[in-house]
Amino acid sequence: MAMIMLRILIGLYALAMLFAGFQVLIKEENKLYIIHIVVSLLTLISVFFANWQLFTIVAITAIVAYQLLALYRGLTTFFHWQHHVIRLIISAIFIFLIVTVH
């Protein structure tokens, strides 16, 4: 049951990141956010993988990619350190849950 809930949570997170990626891509025409959108779509697809290990690899990779893209965006625009600290905490919690639930 915990694995299903975690997959749903990661899927919702990926949907939120997909929405954010489309917003930035449309608003700023920042082509880097195509990577963001692809990562979000791969994460959404991985939620439906039967293999837990494959889901784990894709989900953790996506979470790290989201962090790196957010840091890049923060460094190239205006760095909101509070935003990045909260993102880092949420990402760490997700990774901890993914690694410990099986």
Side-chain angles (χ1 to χ4, degrees):
M1 185 64 170
M3 288 193 302
I4 293 171
M5 296 300 292
L6 187 56
R7 286 176 187 251
I8 291 170
L9 188 62
I10 295 294
L12 291 173
Y13 185 64
L15 276 174
M17 294 294 105
L18 182 64
F19 180 71
F22 273 122
Q23 278 189 317
V24 173
L25 184 65
I26 292 167
K27 187 177 179 182
E28 300 175 11
E29 298 180 4
N30 186 340
K31 302 299 184 217
L32 179 66
Y33 272 79
I34 292 173
I35 296 169
H36 189 94
I37 291 167
V38 169
V39 169
S40 298
L41 290 172
L42 288 174
T43 307
L44 277 173
I45 293 167
S46 78
V47 168
F48 299 102
F49 290 166
N51 185 323
W52 178 258
Q53 287 79 18
L54 187 56
F55 165 74
T56 300
I57 291 167
V58 172
I60 290 174
T61 303
I63 291 168
V64 171
Y66 291 143
Q67 281 297 113
L68 293 174
L69 288 167
L71 284 172
Y72 174 78
R73 179 167 164 74
L75 292 172
T76 57
T77 58
F78 182 75
F79 194 81
H80 300 276
W81 66 270
Q82 302 94 335
H83 170 79
H84 292 285
V85 168
I86 291 170
R87 283 185 67 100
L88 184 62
I89 292 168
I90 291 170
S91 295
I93 290 169
F94 276 152
I95 291 172
F96 174 77
L97 289 173
I98 291 169
V99 170
T100 58
V101 172
H102 47 295

